[in-house]
Amino acid sequence: GEGTPTILTLSLSPNTPLLSYPYSSGLYGEALSISPSSENHRGANISHCTISPALPTGLVLSSSTCIISGTPTAAVGQTNYTITASNSAGSRTSTLSLTIGPNTPIIESFSGSSTGSYGTPMSISASINTRGANLSNCTISPALPEGLSLNSL
């Protein structure tokens, strides 16, 4: 025989979001954007993201997209960050390994007069942004006029 048809109703509930991040690195003073390498909302949009420990100065985590962006103003050795993504089903963590390396220094400005008279002492100082590293050497090209010298450090 024939039976009575049975209606089966399935209901799917959302699950906690899954994110993963690639190993990332950047340089002091250069814009950086880090997106999850894989992202699965698992049935519900991500409602909030947090990170611990705090990111290097100049970088921020979007609390709604889990994207890290900005221009770092501190060099930081390899650090593991825990990112927590939340949706209506709950929260799940993922790990991001991030390194911000030092960059080449930038001479931002000079102070002192760049003109002088023969036989009169003069001094010009540079304001240098070391961008996360200690200065190891200073050079000048072309050579300074006779009687002038560069303090190499």
Side-chain angles (χ1 to χ4, degrees):
E2 291 184 34
T4 307
T6 303
I7 298 175
L8 178 62
T9 304
L10 296 176
S11 176
L12 298 176
S13 298
N15 203 339
T16 56
L18 288 175
L19 297 177
S20 63
Y21 288 84
Y23 168 77
S24 298
S25 64
L27 292 174
Y28 183 113
E30 293 188 9
L32 182 64
S33 180
I34 304 167
S35 297
S37 56
S38 68
E39 181 176 345
N40 184 340
H41 293 207
R42 298 177 63 179
N45 289 331
I46 292 174
S47 58
H48 193 71
C49 294
T50 59
I51 193 163
S52 180
L55 288 165
T57 304
L59 294 178
V60 295
L61 172 74
S62 167
S63 64
S64 60
T65 65
C66 300
I67 294 173
I68 296 167
S69 62
T71 302
T73 57
V76 178
Q78 183 176 342
T79 303
N80 289 330
Y81 296 88
T82 300
I83 298 170
T84 303
S86 303
N87 65 12
S88 60
S91 300
R92 187 176 296 241
T93 62
S94 60
T95 301
L96 164 70
S97 182
L98 175 64
T99 302
I100 303 297
N103 208 337
T104 55
I106 296 174
I107 298 174
E108 295 181 334
S109 64
F110 292 96
S111 62
S113 175
S114 60
T115 61
S117 300
Y118 182 78
T120 304
M122 64 182 296
S123 178
I124 300 172
S125 297
S127 173
I128 301 173
N129 180 341
T130 61
R131 301 198 319 163
N134 293 324
L135 288 179
S136 59
N137 190 25
C138 292
T139 60
I140 192 165
S141 180
L144 292 167
E146 188 177 329
L148 296 179
S149 62
L150 174 69
N151 177 350
S152 64
L153 290 184

